[in-house]
Amino acid sequence: MKYASEIEKRKTFAIISHPDAGKTTLTEKFLLFGGAIQTAGAVKSNKIKKHATSDFMEIERQRGISVATSVMSFEYKDKLINLLDTPGHKDFAEDTYRTLTAVDSVVLVIDCVKGVEEQTEKLMEVCRMRDTPVIIFINKMDRDGRNPFDLLEEVEKKLSIKTQPLSWPINMGRDFKGVYNVHNHSLLTFGAHQKATDEDMVKIPDLSTPLIEELVGKKDADALREDMELIMGVYESFDKEAYLAGHLAPVFFGSAVNNFGIKDLLDTFIQIAPSPKPRMTDKREVTAEEDKFTGFVFKIHANIDPRHRDRVAFLRICSGKFERNTFYHHVRLDKNVRFSNPYTFLAREKNVVDDAYPGDVVGLFDTGNFKIGDTLTEGEVMTYVGIPSFSPEIFKELINNDPMKTKQLEKGIRQLTDEGVAQLFTQHGGNRKIIGCVGDLQFEVIQYRLLQEYGAACSFKTLPFYKACWIQGDATKVADFVRYKQANVVNDKEDNLVYLAESEWYLNTERTNNPAIKFFITNDYKHELA
Ligand code: G4P
């Protein structure tokens, strides 16, 4: 347990939300509290504009900038917080899913007017797969939103997680008066002080005190007492273990843009959020406290500027101490590698680091040695698992427009898919190449990069599939299925069999007709189709 105090200090997490719910604004407020930025707007200017769907070059340019904000590390009280950024644009959702494999917990932002939205559900599904602890922040309370009880009910139903309010709003919209902190019995009024400090919180001896009338008026004081009576009747005292197991989500209400309710959220976060957790490899579970260094690559960022062909591989440290200029074992390639300029991201500056600890993320310059999921160790042969590929949503056939450049095209598409830009499938028993992505934008990115970086011109032909399922089961039955459904069966890059379904109806029909075959939504065969 050489590094116990370093490990205990670290909280590695991500803020996730449906676009527009307030992720960027909340990130910024956290960084302000952590002293990592001095002015509001500093993060926002780096944000990928979510509506700029037509101009992918601009998006890539901004993605370039966003390397610097991929990991934002800051100190708050006695903790070291690593906040991993996730792209707001829905076409980069797969980047977000992968980033979620590198965090120990998440804060989920929900817009109180819109409630649970499509992307919220998808992100939560990924969190549930890994039992990631979730804290929910219900944002934009300064707007006329939905009734908070209804919101909690919707969250429980749509996100399949139990909730427990740790703060409670007093009205909303124009009449928003503030929040009552359920666990430490204090009240923070909205308006006068938007940089809430500890002194702004008024301690409430008990809910019958006339102090509440003084602070928010009779009508709202009565409403708060009524709400609290209901809440106390429904919820038991906060069960931290249930939160850490990913079964219970504490809920906070506030307004990110007004910096309201954020400090309370952050203070609770550092108290309850987990420090680096144990992680599974294909051989055994590794705890953060082990002396020997291990880590895995969860994201690769390529520079689209053709003058700079370098890539950055993001390595999450899982155990031991990572040191600069030290040889580590690259398990997949079975070779030793070392890094002279690994960097971290303290206070939004890229700094070369000499050492890093579990929970930290370091950026490694890469010339093509890494792919997503690669593991580094001090020699032990094992690979971190649980960094699965998820089913893409759009499928297109890759058409080679220049037969003289076939080799370049093949190499290019392999490298780009190693980076996780898209998934590559090959027709079973044939040679047709099918690319699967989450968003249309990636196809433009691929086309552009294949031409710029590999000199290979290509185009795409849209295919009518909507989902990919990895299939497994009785060998004879699978072989029969493959023969019968040949037009729909492809191989992924690891040669696994994948069924491409045209619609939910087809998928359900095939499942019913083939009870001996299992259909999985991830390539690690861990998550069966619901
Ligand atoms: P995202 O990263 O989740 O996509 O959301 P982002 O923080 O960019 O917020 C989306 C919009 O919601 C922004 O307005 C932001 O100012 C606003 N917002 C965030 N928190 C609150 C809040 O507590 N109350 C209210 N009323 N609005 C909030 P925008 O007009 O899109 O951008 P901007 O011009 O304000 O920067």
Side-chain angles (χ1 to χ4, degrees), residues 2-106:
K2 273 198 227 164
Y3 313 116
S5 65
E6 293 291 348
I7 296 166
E8 199 271 326
K9 236 175 111 167
R10 281 163 168 79
K11 309 273 178 193
T12 301
F13 82 115
I15 302 179
I16 53 175
S17 77
H18 187 90
D20 260 349
K23 180 178 76 74
T24 314
T25 313
L26 184 62
T27 301
E28 192 162 286
K29 302 304 173 195
F30 273 9
L31 294 183
L32 281 168
F33 274 115
I37 54 170
Q38 268 67 45
T39 50
V43 175
K44 257 206 136 90
S45 58
N46 279 349
K47 181 175 157 171
I48 296 171
K49 295 281 177 290
K50 47 198 172 265
H51 306 299
T53 45
S54 57
D55 188 357
F56 87 92
M57 271 304 288
E58 177 58 13
I59 288 173
E60 278 298 305
R61 193 186 64 74
Q62 293 182 28
R63 250 159 78 83
I65 297 169
S66 75
V67 168
T69 58
S70 282
V71 187
M72 292 163 275
S73 301
F74 60 94
E75 289 186 19
Y76 181 70
K77 302 206 166 158
D78 56 345
K79 300 290 179 221
L80 200 154
I81 300 175
N82 294 313
L83 170 49
L84 272 52
D85 191 28
T86 55
H89 199 295
K90 81 163 184 26
D91 283 11
F92 294 103
E94 191 144 6
D95 260 15
T96 303
Y97 302 157
R98 276 193 296 262
T99 299
L100 290 181
T101 66
V103 300
D104 297 304
S105 71
V106 303

Side-chain angles (χ1 to χ4, degrees), residues 242-298:
Y243 155 71
L244 290 174
H247 300 150
L248 175 75
V251 179
F252 288 83
F253 293 84
S255 168
V257 81
N258 292 298
N259 204 356
F260 188 81
I262 311 301
K263 185 169 181 300
D264 202 14
L265 172 69
L266 187 55
D267 284 340
T268 311
F269 169 82
I270 60 165
Q271 269 175 35
I272 65 171
S275 294
K277 296 200 287 192
R279 274 160 196 273
M280 268 319 276
T281 69
D282 57 349
K283 299 279 160 48
R284 63 182 184 90
E285 189 177 76
V286 177
T287 64
E289 287 77 14
E290 291 184 21
D291 289 348
K292 291 206 165 139
F293 157 77
T294 62
F296 68 89
V297 171
F298 64 93

Side-chain angles (χ1 to χ4, degrees), residues 112 137-143 145-152 164-173 175-182 186-190 212 216 219-228 231 251-255 260-261 264:
C112 73
F137 181 69
I138 298 193
N139 190 26
K140 306 198 186 179
M141 292 306 293
D142 57 320
R143 290 208 181 152
R146 312 247 295 272
N147 174 294
F149 284 110
D150 291 348
L151 280 168
L152 293 187
Q164 177 153 13
L166 292 190
S167 84
W168 194 253
I170 300 166
N171 253 319
M172 56 171 65
D175 297 324
F176 183 46
K177 297 270 174 67
V179 288
Y180 175 69
N181 183 317
V182 183
S186 55
L187 205 152
L188 182 66
T189 51
F190 181 64
I212 304 182
V216 300
K219 191 168 136 273
D220 287 323
D222 287 346
L224 174 67
R225 289 187 188 110
E226 233 170 75
D227 285 354
M228 288 316 296
I231 288 168
V251 179
F252 288 83
F253 293 84
S255 168
F260 188 81
D264 202 14

